[in-house]
Amino acid sequence: MVDSYEDLDDAGVATAAVRAGADVVRSMYGRRLTRIHKGAGDFATAADVEAEKSIIGVIRAARPDDAVLGEEGGLQGGAEAVRQWLVDPLCGTLNYAAGTMLVAVNVALRGGAAAVGDPFSGEVFFTDGVTAWVRNDGADVELTPTPATRLVDVNLDPPFPGAPEFRAVDLLAHPEFVERFRPRVVSTTLALAWVAAGRRAAYVTDGVDLFESVHFAAGIALCRAAGCLVTGIDGGPIGPSGRGLVVAADGATHRSLMSMIRS
């Protein structure tokens, strides 16, 4: 019931919002959807728009005084609001439009709780800002990162602001990378949740100001709460002046990747 949303804590709101968005994404999957072109080959679909509406509906019911920044609808609510939610209703639109079930629904309270949902597995990865869990079939399991899989997701989507000094694709041909890791290209920030859950050893992407991005904020919050190492591609802290993202399950994996990036 919508009336019950106001009784949830922030992690509960993030989780409920993600579930609402995931329901829309799943229900519209496989349809011939209208595309909203954004330029440079990027586009949204009707599923992105409708999922965002459902997510914002939950947040509005639970926290009517908060602002919301959505990828599709922009900023809603007062600019003077103390709290702001960041919403990416469908991360992996290219996958989705091609009939590939590798997508995520991302919701994050700036500086607080966050959730990442997989619409097709039914899993919701969430954090209260301190600890991180995955919920599936009503059971919550605390997330434990591990490098055991040796699988590293590398985001190859443009643009490439670090080129030619840094190109993520160059890692795939690095002799040490080939010896130690196995590359994966999921093309959605669902891969960040997988690092937190121990299903991936690391995730690497270029980019600018990812910390407060609607695409990355929820995944970053999740990984930090789970105990992952989270830095920019220069090894420094992420933030307004930082660039890129290296998220690793442990220090040894992070050091190895940073050595390859710097070389």
XYZ file of all heavy atoms in Angstrom, residues 55-116:
433
model
N 9.020 4.901 -9.871
C 10.007 5.111 -8.806
C 9.725 6.409 -8.062
O 9.698 6.441 -6.824
C 11.428 5.132 -9.398
C 11.805 3.738 -9.897
C 12.443 5.632 -8.372
C 13.046 3.720 -10.772
N 9.500 7.465 -8.814
C 9.259 8.769 -8.194
C 7.947 8.751 -7.413
O 7.822 9.399 -6.365
C 9.268 9.880 -9.262
C 10.686 10.037 -9.816
C 8.775 11.208 -8.681
C 10.806 11.025 -10.959
N 6.983 7.986 -7.887
C 5.723 7.867 -7.151
C 5.935 7.313 -5.748
O 5.337 7.789 -4.778
N 6.821 6.326 -5.623
C 7.131 5.766 -4.307
C 7.847 6.789 -3.435
O 7.508 6.992 -2.264
C 7.988 4.493 -4.449
C 8.469 4.019 -3.082
C 7.195 3.394 -5.148
N 8.840 7.458 -4.008
C 9.605 8.446 -3.234
C 8.715 9.596 -2.796
O 8.794 10.059 -1.647
C 10.808 8.964 -4.058
C 11.782 7.813 -4.336
C 11.520 10.096 -3.318
C 12.908 8.177 -5.295
N 7.849 10.054 -3.680
C 6.941 11.148 -3.343
C 6.002 10.744 -2.196
O 5.708 11.538 -1.304
C 6.117 11.537 -4.569
C 6.870 12.392 -5.549
C 6.780 13.852 -5.161
N 7.738 14.646 -5.923
C 8.956 14.953 -5.523
N 9.389 14.526 -4.354
N 9.749 15.683 -6.263
N 5.500 9.507 -2.237
C 4.588 9.040 -1.188
C 5.309 8.918 0.152
O 4.731 9.186 1.208
C 3.986 7.698 -1.589
N 6.591 8.513 0.099
C 7.337 8.263 1.336
C 8.020 9.505 1.878
O 8.085 9.705 3.095
C 8.386 7.174 1.081
N 8.541 10.341 0.986
C 9.335 11.514 1.382
C 8.929 12.720 0.532
O 9.665 13.149 -0.361
C 10.835 11.231 1.208
C 11.364 10.009 1.958
C 11.391 10.240 3.465
N 12.079 9.156 4.152
C 11.478 8.067 4.629
N 10.151 7.923 4.473
N 12.170 7.120 5.249
N 7.744 13.269 0.765
C 7.224 14.334 -0.098
C 8.056 15.609 -0.115
O 7.944 16.400 -1.062
C 5.824 14.592 0.479
C 5.867 14.047 1.874
C 6.799 12.891 1.824
N 8.890 15.823 0.899
C 9.681 17.058 0.948
C 11.038 16.919 0.266
O 11.774 17.906 0.136
C 9.897 17.482 2.404
C 8.597 17.850 3.103
O 7.686 18.353 2.408
O 8.487 17.620 4.316
N 11.397 15.713 -0.174
C 12.698 15.495 -0.800
C 12.658 15.843 -2.284
O 11.610 15.727 -2.941
C 13.132 14.032 -0.650
C 13.435 13.660 0.789
O 13.358 14.549 1.664
O 13.759 12.482 1.029
N 13.805 16.241 -2.815
C 13.948 16.453 -4.253
C 14.375 15.151 -4.916
O 14.928 14.259 -4.273
C 14.979 17.541 -4.529
N 14.103 15.039 -6.214
C 14.475 13.858 -6.983
C 15.125 14.302 -8.276
O 14.591 15.145 -9.005
C 13.240 12.987 -7.315
C 13.671 11.763 -8.119
C 12.506 12.568 -6.051
N 16.291 13.734 -8.577
C 16.954 13.972 -9.857
C 16.882 12.680 -10.657
O 17.515 11.679 -10.311
C 18.418 14.376 -9.648
C 19.235 14.606 -10.927
C 18.641 15.746 -11.754
C 20.692 14.883 -10.599
N 16.063 12.685 -11.702
C 15.891 11.501 -12.533
C 16.609 11.650 -13.854
O 16.696 12.755 -14.404
N 17.102 10.544 -14.387
C 17.808 10.611 -15.666
C 16.908 11.128 -16.775
O 17.343 11.890 -17.635
C 18.338 9.233 -16.053
C 19.103 9.269 -17.370
C 19.579 7.924 -17.852
O 19.181 6.901 -17.265
O 20.351 7.893 -18.823
N 15.638 10.754 -16.756
C 14.739 11.137 -17.841
C 14.004 12.445 -17.565
O 13.823 13.255 -18.459
C 13.727 10.010 -18.103
C 14.345 8.635 -18.294
C 15.452 8.610 -19.331
O 15.428 9.422 -20.275
O 16.366 7.777 -19.192
N 13.578 12.655 -16.323
C 12.747 13.825 -16.013
C 13.486 15.001 -15.421
O 12.888 16.057 -15.205
N 14.786 14.834 -15.139
C 15.547 15.927 -14.550
C 15.197 16.138 -13.088
O 14.695 15.243 -12.405
N 15.422 17.349 -12.595
C 15.213 17.679 -11.187
C 13.751 17.984 -10.918
O 13.140 18.806 -11.601
C 16.080 18.873 -10.792
C 15.998 19.321 -9.326
C 16.506 18.220 -8.405
C 16.808 20.601 -9.115
N 13.207 17.314 -9.912
C 11.847 17.570 -9.467
C 11.869 17.843 -7.971
O 12.588 17.195 -7.225
C 10.950 16.363 -9.764
C 10.878 16.016 -11.239
C 9.924 14.881 -11.508
O 8.858 14.776 -10.907
N 10.291 14.007 -12.433
N 11.084 18.809 -7.547
C 11.098 19.214 -6.149
C 11.961 20.447 -5.986
O 12.696 20.853 -6.888
N 11.890 21.056 -4.828
C 12.588 22.310 -4.596
C 14.100 22.165 -4.628
O 14.659 21.205 -4.078
N 14.757 23.093 -5.300
C 16.214 23.093 -5.348
C 16.807 23.309 -3.960
O 17.960 22.971 -3.700
C 16.699 24.171 -6.310
N 15.991 23.849 -3.051
C 16.468 24.122 -1.692
C 16.289 22.911 -0.764
O 16.655 22.959 0.414
C 15.711 25.322 -1.106
C 14.244 25.070 -0.773
C 13.332 25.065 -1.996
O 13.839 25.368 -3.105
O 12.133 24.759 -1.839
N 15.741 21.829 -1.286
C 15.522 20.638 -0.468
C 16.837 20.125 0.103
O 17.859 20.081 -0.583
C 14.855 19.545 -1.297
N 16.814 19.746 1.357
C 18.021 19.267 2.030
C 18.440 17.904 1.496
O 19.628 17.596 1.406
C 17.789 19.189 3.557
C 18.986 18.573 4.264
C 17.481 20.578 4.117
N 17.459 17.093 1.117
C 17.736 15.726 0.667
C 17.358 15.564 -0.796
O 16.350 16.104 -1.254
C 16.945 14.728 1.525
C 17.411 14.684 2.975
C 16.376 14.082 3.907
N 15.611 12.991 3.369
C 15.759 11.698 3.716
N 16.685 11.354 4.596
N 14.977 10.769 3.205
N 18.179 14.782 -1.508
C 17.915 14.567 -2.934
C 18.153 13.098 -3.294
O 19.162 12.508 -2.918
C 18.819 15.458 -3.787
C 18.538 15.365 -5.282
C 19.486 16.221 -6.099
O 20.605 15.813 -6.387
N 19.055 17.436 -6.450
N 17.213 12.546 -4.034
C 17.315 11.167 -4.526
C 17.799 11.180 -5.967
O 17.362 12.021 -6.772
C 15.959 10.475 -4.444
C 15.452 10.298 -3.046
C 14.794 11.227 -2.280
C 15.569 9.125 -2.234
N 14.491 10.705 -1.050
C 14.954 9.411 -0.983
C 16.119 7.865 -2.433
C 14.873 8.488 0.039
C 16.049 6.923 -1.413
C 15.440 7.240 -0.190
N 18.675 10.245 -6.305
C 19.210 10.108 -7.659
C 18.627 8.841 -8.272
O 18.744 7.757 -7.699
C 20.738 10.024 -7.621
C 21.437 11.190 -6.900
C 22.928 10.917 -6.764
C 21.199 12.502 -7.632
N 18.025 8.972 -9.447
C 17.269 7.863 -10.034
C 17.721 7.576 -11.461
O 17.684 8.444 -12.328
C 15.753 8.181 -10.043
C 14.976 7.086 -10.775
C 15.232 8.351 -8.624
N 18.164 6.343 -11.688
C 18.409 5.830 -13.036
C 17.437 4.673 -13.222
O 17.673 3.574 -12.719
C 19.859 5.356 -13.168
C 20.177 4.844 -14.570
O 19.258 4.824 -15.413
O 21.334 4.460 -14.818
N 16.331 4.888 -13.932
C 15.259 3.899 -13.955
C 15.571 2.642 -14.753
O 14.951 1.599 -14.541
C 14.096 4.659 -14.594
C 14.776 5.669 -15.476
C 16.006 6.089 -14.712
N 16.537 2.748 -15.678
C 16.878 1.594 -16.510
C 18.309 1.753 -17.004
O 18.562 2.392 -18.023
C 15.900 1.466 -17.690
C 16.119 0.361 -18.716
C 16.363 -0.985 -18.052
C 14.941 0.280 -19.671
N 19.244 1.199 -16.259
C 20.651 1.265 -16.628
C 20.972 0.048 -17.485
O 20.886 -1.087 -17.015
C 21.537 1.281 -15.384
S 23.285 1.441 -15.763
N 21.309 0.296 -18.737
C 21.501 -0.782 -19.700
C 20.415 -0.763 -20.759
O 19.979 -1.806 -21.246
N 19.999 0.445 -21.143
C 18.920 0.586 -22.127
C 19.268 -0.086 -23.450
O 18.404 -0.700 -24.090
C 18.598 2.077 -22.358
O 18.189 2.661 -21.121
C 17.475 2.251 -23.364
N 20.529 0.008 -23.879
C 20.932 -0.634 -25.131
C 20.759 -2.148 -25.032
O 20.288 -2.793 -25.969
C 22.382 -0.284 -25.461
C 22.650 1.151 -25.894
C 24.146 1.418 -25.984
C 21.994 1.450 -27.238
N 21.140 -2.714 -23.893
C 20.920 -4.149 -23.683
C 19.426 -4.483 -23.754
O 18.998 -5.419 -24.429
C 21.455 -4.579 -22.315
C 22.963 -4.676 -22.264
O 23.636 -4.690 -23.294
N 23.504 -4.740 -21.062
N 18.657 -3.707 -23.034
C 17.212 -3.939 -22.929
C 16.535 -3.882 -24.294
O 15.731 -4.754 -24.636
C 16.636 -2.878 -21.996
C 15.179 -3.034 -21.643
C 14.778 -3.950 -20.666
C 14.198 -2.239 -22.235
C 13.435 -4.078 -20.305
C 12.866 -2.353 -21.883
C 12.487 -3.277 -20.921
O 11.163 -3.393 -20.558
N 16.867 -2.862 -25.065
C 16.244 -2.689 -26.376
C 16.628 -3.805 -27.339
O 15.886 -4.107 -28.281
C 16.642 -1.335 -26.965
N 17.782 -4.436 -27.085
C 18.236 -5.538 -27.927
C 17.755 -6.897 -27.421
O 18.139 -7.939 -27.948
C 19.760 -5.531 -27.994
N 16.927 -6.879 -26.364
C 16.393 -8.124 -25.836
C 17.339 -8.872 -24.938
O 17.257 -10.098 -24.810
N 18.260 -8.136 -24.297
C 19.236 -8.741 -23.390
C 18.865 -8.382 -21.957
O 18.722 -7.212 -21.622
C 20.659 -8.230 -23.697
O 20.953 -8.475 -25.074
C 21.683 -8.943 -22.837
N 18.751 -9.394 -21.096
C 18.273 -9.179 -19.735
C 19.396 -8.802 -18.776
O 19.493 -9.333 -17.666
C 17.560 -10.427 -19.220
C 16.306 -10.774 -19.967
S 15.521 -12.253 -19.265
C 14.137 -12.472 -20.374
N 20.244 -7.892 -19.172
C 21.313 -7.394 -18.307
C 21.101 -5.905 -18.093
O 21.632 -5.065 -18.831
C 22.692 -7.662 -18.924
C 23.160 -9.115 -18.892
C 24.438 -9.284 -19.694
C 23.376 -9.582 -17.452
N 20.300 -5.578 -17.106
C 19.963 -4.191 -16.814
C 19.852 -4.014 -15.303
O 19.777 -4.981 -14.547
C 18.631 -3.768 -17.490
C 18.710 -3.941 -18.993
C 17.465 -4.558 -16.926
N 19.840 -2.757 -14.882
C 19.693 -2.450 -13.464
C 18.753 -1.273 -13.290
O 18.603 -0.436 -14.181
C 21.051 -2.126 -12.840
N 18.138 -1.211 -12.119
C 17.353 -0.053 -11.693
C 18.070 0.520 -10.477
O 18.278 -0.177 -9.495
C 15.908 -0.449 -11.331
C 15.131 0.763 -10.843
C 15.210 -1.093 -12.526
N 18.479 1.783 -10.553
C 19.320 2.392 -9.523
C 18.602 3.546 -8.822
O 18.108 4.461 -9.487
C 20.610 2.947 -10.138
C 21.458 1.877 -10.793
O 21.504 0.741 -10.323
N 22.133 2.226 -11.877
N 18.585 3.503 -7.495
C 18.011 4.583 -6.685
C 18.941 4.845 -5.510
O 19.324 3.913 -4.796
C 16.606 4.211 -6.158
C 16.090 5.291 -5.209
C 15.633 4.002 -7.313
N 19.323 6.109 -5.320
C 20.224 6.450 -4.212
C 19.813 7.767 -3.591
O 19.500 8.729 -4.296
C 21.670 6.549 -4.701
N 19.810 7.808 -2.267
C 19.682 9.065 -1.542
C 21.081 9.644 -1.432
O 21.994 8.980 -0.939
C 19.104 8.829 -0.150
C 19.024 10.051 0.766
C 18.099 11.116 0.201
C 18.566 9.632 2.161
N 21.278 10.849 -1.918
C 22.613 11.436 -1.916
C 23.204 11.387 -0.503
O 22.641 11.919 0.444
C 22.546 12.887 -2.401
C 23.896 13.501 -2.736
C 23.742 14.976 -3.088
N 22.962 15.186 -4.295
C 23.439 15.163 -5.534
N 24.724 14.894 -5.731
N 22.656 15.407 -6.578
N 24.347 10.677 -0.377
C 25.020 10.564 0.907
C 24.374 9.602 1.881
O 24.717 9.608 3.069
N 23.438 8.749 1.389
C 22.732 7.871 2.327
C 22.414 6.513 1.744
O 23.248 5.883 1.104
N 21.188 6.074 1.945
C 20.759 4.748 1.519
C 20.718 4.641 0.001
O 20.637 5.650 -0.712
C 19.376 4.446 2.097
N 20.768 3.397 -0.496
C 20.736 3.178 -1.936
C 20.289 1.762 -2.226
O 20.368 0.871 -1.371
C 22.115 3.425 -2.554
N 19.809 1.537 -3.451
C 19.409 0.197 -3.870
C 19.648 0.037 -5.362
O 19.526 0.989 -6.135
C 17.944 -0.064 -3.539
N 20.010 -1.177 -5.743
C 20.193 -1.565 -7.142
C 19.369 -2.816 -7.370
O 19.544 -3.814 -6.666
C 21.676 -1.842 -7.468
C 21.818 -2.350 -8.898
C 22.533 -0.598 -7.248
